[in-house]
């Protein structure tokens, strides 16, 4: 699910950037460091333009200045039972792996409808129902999150495809 | 899952009531049964009298997980005495056999949670990773076994085996030197032809590191496309490399653009947990019966029985393996000067590459060019870093990464290839009149007919590697052997009705499938079976000979490796430039073939006994001519102590390191001394023998060459030693054997080593039979003469020995006459 969240970030700036364009530098630094990063429970999708930079404080001993930036960002936090779209990254005998943004998901064979079976002899290996549904590396799939776990900077999910309207996306 | 009594109860406990009956559902932390235990407590009554009483304390045992009770192993009244007793069997709705990132892939539960009820963490149920490209997916042993089973049936039905392919220096060679691109663009460059098909790529993740937009130049081993095409009919192929994921994928795209050979079956350093070793269990956790590996290094596989060792592919001289800084350092060999007689340039091979270049079927001299440029220095650093510690600490890893970067930068900036080519060009100019020939046989056997060569510029790169052909032949042989045995076993099974009734169908099929781990060593051991090798001047000091890379390799081919030259030795693998004590000693036995290391490497790559002739090291006539008598005696009598009967004579057990050290020391000492006096001596000697008895050396040498193919039977055609002398000698030996006494333990003051000879142990009885005919061989003429003395008894023998040892030179002269 997507949220609008207020966040805070401390940015250190090298003295060589001190000058009339200092706000621009801070902005760039913020976008570079934060956008797309994952904290383990949510991913920062995009940073909104309005942000608030505190006064800079020179760090004793280094000459760099420290700014505290308050900003708003759209973040994505996956929830159990959320339906998500992702891209298949790898297909194995026991299931297939899906990347949903920063979330690494796995759909195991027990979570795949029984009509879709694994074909190890095909190149590349894929799951198929021998009809129009084929799941191989690069396929877009719609899946539902069954379990989630957060680690320091990454998230893992177990997903299912065994419900209505889930499966490979044609388009 | 069966619940056993946990270790944290107060035993003994007595069960009072079962709270769930059979087939009742139970949830986590719900009570399963009630019990009580008894403790002694001090109680103080109202008269302030302290008294010890036994109290019963009732407790409830809670279920550690959800499920249905399927069987009770206790009933009310049961006394549980100790931990580990079966209590109850609970059938779980999900056994969490496949886990992904700490989640159960089937039920989505978090496997890492731990609370007061946890006695075994759920994450421990699935400890095995068997996917190529993911470290987060783990499976249980049962699931892994199922997967293996499935893969096996699939392979059997397709008549295939699994083949694990290493990338760097096995099927490709990579360098980072820009020179390659320049040569590719320049059609006039002598190297243009060789680098024409070199492919290049850049890696995105290099942008983070200090190497700015680095280009990798990949040379496919000649014949690779055809090799992969043909092998894919026989094998299901996997890539297993110590390079990064990105590199592995980029290379895979080059050698297998459509993905039909390897598909997703690529395992890189990123998924390998350790950067020291490659493990077969990583991909085939339960069953490795149908797996064959091809790799240029055996040490990273722990000399696995599944390994087919491939001659190193070293196309860009000096480039080495750019991903090798993550591997343990390869065992080095003593840097040798390859003796290329007809070419004036002295060719030094750089560091450990000796092995590699030597293995190549057609090594050219130019490839052995000195590469003491950036690379030599760096590898030393590399070694230091690797020796710093074996733990997998991040600091070290960082250093290794840095090391790799340095290596790459060095290749980029110093351009060793270019330097070498320039040097070569210069040499070409200098030696313009001299015809040089670079045909492949030339360097192989060191003797060639120099033919006029019109080419004016020589190229540093040579596109003539034939390693894959040999490998293909071996792989085909393994495949054929496997399926031949499978078919014959299956037929036998189909015939035997009794066998069919025995055991489960699964068990039966298991019996039918041959094991590559048994099959391949069997094929390999035939190659050098019966040979007894001694290494001399090949393995550097400080490395245990018997555990050195070369020795282990030879042993895997059925050879026996010993540290000392004895009569039973069949081959001495020597350094052609250094005449060590062992070589000298071996030269006295005409049956011992003194060959350079190429011979062994050829045998071990081609899996066949190669003719020794082209690899023989020329021996001076005086060395050859010298009598083996003195050495013979000490190996016969002096060395064999009577108390250790029951071991073969020549086998030196590995724990004899002290002796080996002594030998090595002695050899070193000898070598040091040699330079001053012995050389002069031998010079004089050779002069004398050349002058006086010129015919002496030659016939013996010839004799040695007569039968290079069958060293085992070499004794039979030895015409010099008469039949009578053999039988006399045998008699004598038997007699000596008969009166084994402490006297036989005597240490012969051997002049050559200056140290007591090592006590090789063993029963003479056993070796007599096999050694009997060998004995014929080393007998010089002088022994026949001396025989009478020997007959007189032990004292005479000792005397003769001392004499023989003391007057080495005289002996040699006497021998001549």
């Amino acid at each position: 699910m997507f949220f609008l969240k207020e966040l805070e970030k401390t940015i250190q700036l090298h003295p060589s950037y001190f000058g009339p364009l200092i706000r621009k530098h801070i902005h760039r630094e913020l976008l570079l460091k934060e956008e797309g990063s994952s904290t383990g429970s949510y991913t920062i999708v995009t940073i909104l333009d309005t942000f608030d930079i505190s006064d800079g404080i020179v760090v004793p001993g280094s000459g760099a200045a420290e700014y505290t930036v308050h900003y708003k960002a759209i973040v994505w936090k996956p929830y159990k039972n959320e339906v998500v779209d992702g891209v298949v990254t790898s297909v194995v005998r026991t299931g297939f792996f899906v990347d949903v943004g920063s979330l690494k998901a796995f759909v195991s064979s027990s979570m795949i409808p029984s009509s879709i079976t694994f074909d190890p002899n095909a190149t590349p290996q894929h799951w198929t129902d021998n009809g129009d549904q084929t799941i191989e590396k690069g396929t877009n799939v719609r899946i539902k999150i069954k379990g989630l776990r957060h680690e320091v900077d990454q998230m893992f999910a177990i997903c299912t495809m065994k419900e209505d309207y889930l499966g490979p996306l044609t388009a | 899952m069966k619940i056993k009594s946990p270790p944290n109860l107060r035993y003994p406990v007595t069960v009072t009531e079962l709270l769930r009956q059979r087939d009742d559902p139970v949830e986590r932390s719900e009570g399963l049964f009630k019990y009580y235990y008894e403790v002694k407590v001090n109680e103080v009554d109202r008269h302030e009298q302290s008294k010890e009483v036994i109290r019963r304390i009732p407790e409830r045992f809670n279920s550690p997980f959800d499920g249905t009770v399927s069987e009770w192993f206790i009933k009310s009244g049961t006394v549980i005495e100790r931990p580990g007793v079966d209590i109850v069997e609970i059938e779980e709705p999900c056994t969490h056999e496949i886990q992904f990132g700490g989640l159960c892939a089937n039920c989505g539960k978090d496997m890492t949670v731990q609370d007061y009820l946890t006695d075994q963490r759920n994450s421990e149920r699935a400890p095995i990773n068997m996917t190529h490209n993911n470290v987060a997916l783990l499976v249980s042993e049962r699931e892994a076994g199922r997967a293996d089973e499935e893969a096996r049936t699939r392979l059997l039905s397709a008549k295939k085996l699994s083949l694990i392919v290493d990338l760097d220096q096995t099927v490709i060679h990579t360098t980072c030197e820009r020179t390659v691109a320049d040569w590719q663009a320049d059609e006039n460059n002598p190297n243009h032809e060789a680098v024409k098909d070199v492919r290049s790529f850049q890696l995105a993740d290099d942008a983070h590191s200090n190497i700015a937009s680095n280009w990798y130049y990949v040379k496919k081993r000649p014949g690779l496309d055809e090799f992969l095409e043909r092998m894919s009919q026989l094998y299901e192929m996997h890539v297993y490399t110590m390079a990064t994921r990105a590199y592995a994928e980029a290379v895979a795209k080059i050698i297998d653009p459509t993905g039909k050979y390897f598909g997703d079956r690529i395992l890189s350093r990123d998924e390998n947990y350790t950067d020291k070793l490659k493990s077969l269990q990583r991909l085939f956790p339960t069953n490795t019966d149908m797996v064959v590996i091809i790799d240029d290094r055996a040490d990273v596989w722990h000399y696995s029985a599944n390994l087919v060792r491939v001659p190193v592919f070293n196309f860009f001289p000096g480039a080495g393996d750019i991903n090798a800084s993550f591997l343990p350092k390869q065992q080095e060999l003593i840097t040798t000067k390859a003796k290329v007689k007809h070419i004036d340039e002295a060719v030094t091979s750089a560091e450990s590459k000796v092995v590699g270049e030597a293995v190549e079927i057609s090594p050219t001299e130019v490839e052995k060019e000195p590469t003491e440029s950036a690379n030599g220095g760096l590898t030393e650093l590399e070694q230091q870093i690797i020796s710093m510690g074996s733990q997998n600490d991040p600091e070290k890893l960082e250093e290794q990464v840095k090391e790799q970067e340095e290596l790459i930068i060095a290749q980029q900036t110093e351009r060793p290839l270019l330097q070498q080519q320039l040097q070569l060009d210069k040499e070409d100019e200098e030696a313009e009149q001299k015809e040089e020939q670079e045909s492949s046989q030339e360097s192989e056997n060191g003797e060639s007919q120099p033919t006029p060569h019109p080419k004016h510029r020589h190229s540093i790169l040579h596109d003539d590697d034939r390693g894959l052909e040999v490998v293909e032949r071996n792989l085909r042989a393994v495949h054929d052997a496997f399926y031949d045995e499978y078919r014959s076993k299956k037929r036998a099974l189909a015939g035997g009705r009794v066998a069919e009734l025995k055991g489960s169908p699964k068990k039966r099929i298991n019996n039918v499938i041959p094991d590559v781990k048994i099959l391949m060593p069997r094929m390999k051991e035939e190659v050098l079976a019966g040979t007894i090798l001694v290494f001399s001047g090949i393995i550097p000091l400080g490395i245990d000979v018997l555990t050195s890379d070369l020795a282990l390799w030879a042993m895997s081919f059925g050879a026996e490796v010993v540290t000392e030259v004895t009569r039973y030795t069949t081959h001495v693998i020597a350094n052609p430039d250094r005449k060590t004590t062992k070589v000298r000693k071996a030269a006295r036995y005409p049956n011992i073939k003194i060959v350079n290391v190429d011979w062994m490497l050829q045998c071990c790559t081609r899996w066949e006994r190669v003719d020794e002739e082209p690899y023989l090291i020329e021996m001076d006539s005086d060395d050859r001519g010298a009598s083996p008598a003195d050495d013979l005696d000490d190996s016969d009598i002096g060395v064999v102590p009577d108390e250790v009967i029951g071991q073969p004579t020549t086998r030196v057990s590995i724990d004899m390191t002290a002796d080996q050290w002594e030998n090595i020391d002695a050899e070193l000492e000898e070598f040091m001394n040699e330079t001053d006096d012995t050389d002069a001596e031998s010079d004089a000697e050779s002069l004398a023998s050349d002058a006086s008895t010129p015919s002496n050396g030659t016939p013996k040498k010839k004799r040695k060459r007569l039968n290079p193919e069958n060293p085992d039977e070499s004794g039979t055609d030895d015409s010099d030693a008469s039949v009578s002398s053999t039988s006399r000698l045998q008699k004598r030996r038997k007699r000596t054997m008969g009166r084994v006494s402490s006297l036989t333990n005597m240490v012969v003051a051997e002049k050559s080593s200056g140290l007591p000879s090592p006590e090789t142990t063993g029963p003479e009885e056993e070796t007599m039979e096999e050694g009997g005919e060998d004995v014929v061989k080393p007998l010089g003429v002088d022994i026949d003469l001396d025989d009478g003395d020997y007959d007189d008894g032990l004292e005479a023998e000792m005397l003769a020995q001392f004499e023989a040892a003391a007057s080495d030179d005289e002996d040699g002269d006497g021998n001549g006459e």
Side-chain angles (χ1 to χ4, degrees), chain A residues 90 92-98 105-114 116 118 127 135 143-144 146 157-162, chain B residues 94 96-100 103-108 137-139 143:
Chain A
S90 164
V92 291
R93 194 191 67 89
T94 43
F96 58 86
F97 298 93
V98 185
F106 179 67
V107 181
S108 87
S109 49
S110 62
M111 301 276 195
I112 297 172
S114 49
I116 300 181
F118 182 61
W127 288 83
I135 296 163
I143 46 180
K144 185 173 170 182
K146 292 290 281 182
I158 294 297
C159 296
T160 182
M161 222 174 69
K162 237 180 181 171
Chain B
C94 177
H96 314 309
E97 293 208 40
I98 305 173
Q99 298 181 5
F100 172 72
L103 291 162
C104 172
N106 293 326
C107 62
L137 188 71
L138 301 169
V139 298
E143 178 64 30

Side-chain angles (χ1 to χ4, degrees), chain B residues 213-502:
Chain B
S213 64
N214 178 35
W215 282 95
Y216 293 86
Y217 299 96
V218 179
K219 170 73 181 175
K220 285 194 261 186
R221 197 164 195 160
L224 180 65
D225 294 339
E226 299 79 15
F227 173 80
L228 290 179
E229 177 59 42
R230 285 194 291 264
M231 283 302 107
S232 65
Q233 312 290 323
L234 307 177
Y235 289 90
E236 185 181 85
M237 292 189 282
H238 307 248
V239 167
Y240 196 146
T241 176
M242 279 302 183
T244 58
R245 176 108 218 135
Y247 174 89
E249 275 174 0
V251 172
K253 205 164 255 171
I254 288 171
I255 61 176
D256 179 24
T258 55
K260 61 177 171 174
Y261 304 136
F262 298 113
D264 271 346
R265 297 183 295 270
I266 299 170
L267 183 84
S268 68
R269 183 212 302 157
D270 301 356
E271 294 94 29
N272 191 37
Y273 300 114
T274 162
D275 51 8
K276 289 268 171 306
L277 286 172
K278 295 180 180 178
S279 162
L280 212 49
Q281 273 65 37
R282 169 68 182 77
L283 284 178
F284 303 90
T286 57
N287 191 320
T288 55
D289 289 357
M290 292 177 65
V291 191
V292 182
I293 309 162
I294 53 172
D295 202 324
D296 61 315
R297 289 188 58 174
D299 51 347
V300 292
W301 287 105
H302 265 315
Y303 301 91
S304 159
N306 302 67
L307 177 71
V308 175
R309 196 161 163 174
V310 175
V312 178
F313 177 45
N314 202 19
F315 180 72
F316 303 109
D321 183 348
I322 60 162
N323 293 304
S325 35
F326 291 91
L327 289 173
K329 185 72 190 150
Q330 204 158 10
Q331 268 181 18
E332 277 184 45
L333 297 187
I334 287 176
T335 315
T336 55
K337 272 181 158 183
K339 207 175 192 172
V340 189
K341 274 198 137 188
H342 299 269
I343 283 138
D344 286 355
E345 51 185 82
V347 177
T348 334
S349 44
E351 39 128 15
S352 62
K353 307 264 156 40
V354 187
V355 210
E357 273 148 18
V359 185
E360 280 178 30
I361 305 307
S362 51
T364 49
E365 342 38 284
V366 199
E367 269 175 320
K368 289 185 182 170
E369 273 292 299
T371 48
E372 281 141 36
S373 49
N375 230 355
L378 267 168
T379 37
E380 248 168 62
L381 188 75
E382 209 173 278
Q383 193 174 12
Q384 271 176 14
I385 285 168
I386 272 119
S387 64
M388 261 166 52
S390 52
Q391 299 103 319
N392 210 351
D393 52 321
E395 221 171 274
K396 202 183 115 236
L397 193 74
E398 205 174 286
E399 253 176 289
Q400 284 178 338
V401 171
K402 225 157 111 193
E403 165 59 29
Q404 193 188 15
E405 277 173 21
E406 261 177 65
L407 186 80
I408 288 169
I409 289 168
Q411 280 187 3
Q412 282 175 336
T413 53
E414 301 186 25
R415 296 180 157 212
L417 270 183
L418 190 65
Q419 306 302 334
Q420 285 170 49
Q421 179 64 52
L422 289 178
Q423 193 189 338
L424 193 69
D425 285 349
K426 217 163 76 190
E427 275 168 23
D428 276 356
E429 275 167 42
E430 282 168 11
E432 212 148 63
Q433 319 90 313
K434 262 180 204 149
E435 286 99 1
E436 285 186 6
Q437 232 270 348
E438 295 182 337
S439 74
S440 51
Q441 309 126 350
E442 184 180 303
S443 60
E444 210 171 296
N445 51 26
E447 41 190 81
S448 73
Q449 293 77 37
T451 46
H453 207 264
K455 209 165 151 190
H456 33 271
R457 276 180 88 190
H458 283 101
S459 56
I460 190 99
L461 300 176
H462 292 269
D463 202 4
D464 54 1
D465 182 89
R466 291 287 165 272
L468 282 180
E469 286 174 18
V470 185
V471 175
E472 185 179 337
R473 211 165 53 222
N474 293 343
L475 289 179
R476 255 178 212 288
V478 171
H479 183 270
D480 290 350
F482 184 91
Y483 276 100
D484 283 349
E485 193 170 331
Y486 176 61
R487 262 195 300 275
S488 66
K489 270 193 179 174
K490 211 169 149 190
R491 214 175 298 127
L493 190 83
R497 174 91 181 119
V498 186
E500 208 172 313
L501 292 168
K502 256 196 278 178

Side-chain angles (χ1 to χ4, degrees), chain A residues 127-148:
Chain A
W127 288 83
T128 181
D129 65 348
N130 295 314
D132 54 352
Q133 288 192 316
T134 300
I135 296 163
E136 55 185 46
K137 192 176 175 177
T139 309
N140 296 322
V141 287
R142 180 161 292 161
I143 46 180
K144 185 173 170 182
I145 297 173
K146 292 290 281 182
L148 267 172

Side-chain angles (χ1 to χ4, degrees), chain B residues 137-269:
Chain B
L137 188 71
L138 301 169
V139 298
S140 70
E141 222 154 288
R142 212 163 51 171
E143 178 64 30
R146 249 192 320 259
D148 267 355
E149 198 76 35
E150 230 169 79
R152 201 159 59 172
T153 24
R154 189 179 73 239
L155 288 175
L156 282 175
S157 63
K159 283 213 166 164
K160 283 184 177 180
L161 296 174
S162 293
L163 180 68
I164 295 180
V165 179
D166 170 55
L167 289 182
D168 281 304
Q169 298 214 280
T170 302
V171 293
I172 54 144
H173 195 202
T174 307
T175 186
C176 297
E177 205 179 317
R178 259 176 313 147
T179 320
V180 178
D182 300 345
W183 286 348
Q184 251 178 320
D186 175 16
E187 281 190 22
N188 296 323
N189 192 287
N191 294 304
H192 177 74
E193 196 62 29
V195 297
K196 217 166 46 183
D197 59 341
V198 167
R199 302 274 298 273
S200 54
F201 62 87
Q202 274 180 312
L203 292 182
D205 49 349
D206 278 347
H208 302 296
S209 63
N210 309 334
I211 322 162
S213 64
N214 178 35
W215 282 95
Y216 293 86
Y217 299 96
V218 179
K219 170 73 181 175
K220 285 194 261 186
R221 197 164 195 160
L224 180 65
D225 294 339
E226 299 79 15
F227 173 80
L228 290 179
E229 177 59 42
R230 285 194 291 264
M231 283 302 107
S232 65
Q233 312 290 323
L234 307 177
Y235 289 90
E236 185 181 85
M237 292 189 282
H238 307 248
V239 167
Y240 196 146
T241 176
M242 279 302 183
T244 58
R245 176 108 218 135
Y247 174 89
E249 275 174 0
V251 172
K253 205 164 255 171
I254 288 171
I255 61 176
D256 179 24
T258 55
K260 61 177 171 174
Y261 304 136
F262 298 113
D264 271 346
R265 297 183 295 270
I266 299 170
L267 183 84
S268 68
R269 183 212 302 157

